[in-house]
Amino acid sequence: MPERASVCLHLLYGLVIGANVPIPGAPIAPPALLPNITVDFDPLPDPAILRDGAAMVQHGPHGPGEPLYTLFRRGEDYLFDFPDGVQFVIAADAAHIRASWPPALTADVASIYLVSTVLAFVLRLRGHEVLHAASVVIDGVAVAIVGPGGAGKSTLAACLAERGFTVLSEDVTALIDRGEEFDVLPSHARIRLWPDAAALLRGHAAALPFLADEEWKQYLELTDDRVALATKRFALAAIYSLDDRFDLPDRPGVEPLGAREGLVDLIANTWHNVRDPRLAPANFERLGRIARYVPLRLAKPHKDLATAFVFADRIVEDFRSVVLPGRTAAP
């Protein structure tokens, strides 16, 4: 059981989140703010307690050998059930979350799921479009890098952070819909990396700490002023889709991506993996506008991870030489 404390206020994705324990990597909110969402970290000894009487909706995407989670409905509420026993009950109004985990784990492990998969779904319930993407600030505007799990989004985000660019998010990119324009909301202060990517950044994998003291992913702690950043929005100026459909090129490259093909990529790389027919019409209409109004580019990585910095530089070069001039020249 985590030690109970006064409410910890955090800023994530433009929301004030009040929790009964600190959320690692989440910027601290000023104490005068009122929470939009409350999170109660409250472990249960037996995960089956929350599943009792719940109706299964679907399995999430499959990881190595098993679903990444199973989604249930408990009355009007949602229940995310992860294979390691971590669970989240999300209230129907998306204003309250209960996090639970088995005795062998900790609140820090539950927080890893909270700031990605769970909050991505909560943001959808609250009317946001949510891309499975990293996003960075280049020349004052946001650039999103979309792609499936394992495509290299976090690695590219970490390379760009090492180059001095501000990283807004590394896996979940939440958008504010402004009709023909969209704004990106900043996320937490950690980029999560597999050990081979961590070794690329700092020379050897031991240079970066592990998440929740688990021998799993490591993380790069972002050192910019995340509290000041958390209150800002950045116009989405371009989307780069990581190509996993063709043979990898001899060297990293970028090329145009048509609106129709780009829309297919956006549909494949959003947090729509929770199939709720009540959300689908608005989501797909919004994705169509994103594909129409936001420049889309196809980014083709090299199979050699050692070229990740070259690839990151190529995306920046393409944005500055191709996308940004056209954007600033528009009426």
Side-chain angles (χ1 to χ4, degrees):
M1 173 75 70
E3 182 180 348
R4 295 280 169 167
S6 58
V7 174
C8 302
L9 294 178
H10 296 284
L11 294 167
L12 285 169
Y13 306 108
L15 298 170
V16 180
I17 298 177
N20 61 325
V21 297
I23 300 173
I28 303 298
L33 295 181
L34 296 176
N36 306 107
I37 299 174
T38 59
V39 182
D40 186 18
F41 287 86
D42 187 14
L44 291 170
D46 181 5
I49 294 174
L50 291 179
R51 292 195 297 269
D52 186 32
M56 192 187 83
V57 175
Q58 69 178 82
H59 291 301
H62 274 66
E66 61 183 345
L68 296 180
Y69 60 81
T70 303
L71 179 69
F72 295 86
R73 291 300 296 267
R74 300 178 75 245
E76 291 298 311
D77 299 341
Y78 290 93
L79 168 63
F80 276 87
D81 187 17
F82 291 89
D84 57 8
V86 176
Q87 296 175 312
F88 296 86
V89 177
I90 302 171
D93 62 1
H96 181 262
I97 301 169
R98 176 183 179 176
S100 181
W101 59 93
L105 301 180
T106 66
D108 283 359
V109 174
S111 294
I112 296 170
Y113 297 116
L114 173 70
V115 300
S116 55
T117 303
V118 175
L119 281 182
F121 181 61
V122 169
L123 287 160
R124 285 189 61 211
L125 291 177
R126 298 179 72 92
H128 294 282
E129 193 56 64
V130 186
L131 303 179
H132 194 186
S135 55
V136 298
V137 179
I138 302 177
D139 298 341
V141 291
V143 174
I145 303 169
V146 305
K153 300 182 298 296
S154 297
T155 301
L156 283 172
C159 290
L160 290 166
E162 296 282 88
R163 292 289 200 237
F165 294 96
T166 297
V167 175
L168 299 176
S169 63
E170 54 95 20
D171 189 56
V172 175
T173 293
L175 304 178
I176 294 287
D177 184 352
R178 296 196 288 117
E180 297 182 5
E181 297 180 339
F182 300 84
D183 292 338
V184 174
L185 296 168
S187 179
H188 54 89
R190 291 180 173 180
I191 301 176
R192 298 164 295 181
L193 301 161
W194 292 111
D196 56 350
L200 174 70
L201 262 64
R202 298 300 171 91
H204 57 94
L208 296 178
F210 282 90
L211 289 165
D213 297 322
E214 295 285 325
E215 296 295 320
W216 181 44
K217 284 189 175 183
Q218 296 168 265
Y219 66 90
L220 174 68
E221 192 81 35
L222 300 172
T223 58
D224 43 14
D225 188 345
R226 303 304 293 188
V227 176
L229 186 68
T231 61
K232 298 179 180 179
R233 300 177 181 180
F234 294 85
L236 178 62
I239 297 173
Y240 286 78
S241 179
L242 294 179
D243 186 9
D244 65 340
R245 297 165 298 187
F246 310 110
D247 292 335
L248 296 173
D250 293 334
R251 59 189 301 271
V254 180
E255 61 188 52
L257 183 62
R260 180 177 298 180
E261 295 81 6
L263 177 58
V264 173
D265 281 9
L266 290 179
I267 292 172
N269 293 301
T270 59
W271 288 91
H272 293 163
N273 43 22
V274 176
R275 296 185 292 272
D276 188 330
R278 297 173 299 179
L279 303 177
N283 288 144
F284 286 112
E285 186 278 331
R286 191 159 44 229
L287 288 176
R289 281 188 284 114
I290 293 173
R292 179 179 179 184
Y293 295 116
V294 179
L296 302 169
R297 307 287 285 169
L298 185 64
K300 307 181 82 169
H302 189 273
K303 61 183 177 181
D304 186 354
L305 181 63
T307 66
F309 276 101
V310 175
F311 190 28
D313 293 340
R314 181 70 187 91
I315 289 174
V316 174
E317 176 190 353
D318 179 83
F319 177 72
R320 285 175 167 168
S321 63
V322 178
V323 178
L324 191 58
R327 182 178 187 271
T328 54

